């Protein structure tokens, strides 16, 4: 949680990457709620409010769809290219934070009404980077993020572990 808060705070004070909008899904203890006071944070949705979780996923999917269309018209391969070609330096990156990914997965991976939104999350994870939509998640134990999901992350941060074998 502290790592996600640090990432969110740094995103708002690092001007060289351009503007950033931060959104959060808090499936942990509510530690991300304090971010809502920051001007670049849209909303932090608690995990026990599935309607708002779905609304946020729908919004981000809409952003992806809109950007995919606009970027392809200009042959922009990334948000950096789009900003330059379209002379739109204020096109914001989107940062989605998911605190306690295993709980999110448990709630949304299975079930007729929620499973499609887990698929939307996977779409955001796999297609988002080039369109300026980035995802950061936390997990409390090794193996709680399936390889199919873990492969969507360029970088992993491992905090101190009690068992040396867990570092693998």
């Amino acid at each position: 949680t502290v790592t996600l808060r640090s990432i969110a705070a740094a995103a708002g004070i690092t001007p060289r990457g351009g503007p950033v909008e931060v959104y959060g899904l808090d499936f942990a203890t509510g530690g991300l709620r304090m971010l809502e006071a920051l001007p670049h944070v849209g909303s932090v949705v608690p995990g026990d409010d599935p309607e708002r979780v779905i609304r946020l996923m729908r919004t981000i999917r809409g952003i992806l769809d809109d950007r995919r269309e606009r970027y392809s018209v200009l042959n922009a391969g990334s948000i950096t290219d789009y900003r330059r070609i379209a002379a739109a330096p204020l096109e914001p990156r989107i940062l989605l934070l998911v605190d306690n990914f295993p709980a999110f997965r448990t709630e949304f991976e299975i079930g007729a009404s929620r499973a499609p939104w887990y698929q939307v999350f996977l779409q955001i994870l796999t297609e988002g980077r080039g369109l300026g939509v980035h995802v950061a998640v936390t997990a409390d134990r090794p193996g709680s993020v399936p390889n199919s999901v873990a492969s969507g992350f360029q970088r992993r941060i491992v905090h101190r572990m009690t068992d040396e074998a867990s570092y693998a």
Side-chain angles (χ1 to χ4, degrees):
T1 303
V2 173
T3 301
L4 291 180
R5 289 193 308 225
S6 298
I7 291 169
I13 59 173
T14 308
R16 75 168 187 186
V20 177
E21 293 177 4
V22 177
Y23 299 93
L25 295 175
D26 196 336
F27 281 80
T29 60
L32 294 183
R33 260 185 269 148
M34 68 186 309
L35 295 173
E36 286 188 304
L38 298 175
H40 63 286
V41 176
S43 65
V44 175
V45 179
D48 62 356
D49 191 347
E51 289 180 23
R52 286 187 63 205
V53 171
I54 290 169
R55 193 175 330 138
L56 178 58
M57 298 301 271
R58 184 180 296 124
T59 298
I60 295 175
R61 182 184 61 187
I63 291 169
L64 279 181
D65 293 343
D66 174 60
R67 287 184 178 187
R68 190 179 304 109
E69 186 176 313
R70 288 188 293 123
Y71 289 22
S72 67
V73 167
L74 296 177
N75 293 322
S78 68
I79 188 171
T80 304
D81 292 344
Y82 179 81
R83 286 174 174 168
R84 182 179 42 78
I85 295 168
L90 298 180
E91 176 88 359
R93 287 188 185 275
I94 306 295
L95 178 58
L96 174 62
L97 308 175
V98 181
D99 198 7
N100 193 4
F101 174 78
F104 167 72
R105 180 179 174 211
T106 299
E107 291 291 321
F108 280 84
E109 186 176 34
I110 299 173
S113 64
R114 295 183 184 177
W117 298 105
Y118 183 75
Q119 294 305 312
V120 168
F121 170 80
L122 295 177
Q123 177 187 9
I124 292 167
L125 182 62
T126 57
E127 299 175 12
R129 188 178 308 127
L131 299 171
V133 179
H134 307 277
V135 180
V137 303
T138 63
D140 59 349
R141 62 193 178 284
S144 61
V145 178
N147 288 336
S148 60
V149 174
S151 66
F153 294 99
Q154 286 184 316
R155 193 167 293 167
R156 292 176 186 91
I157 300 172
V158 179
H159 291 280
R160 192 171 137 197
M161 306 291 280
T162 56
D163 178 19
E164 285 189 30
S166 297
Y167 287 106

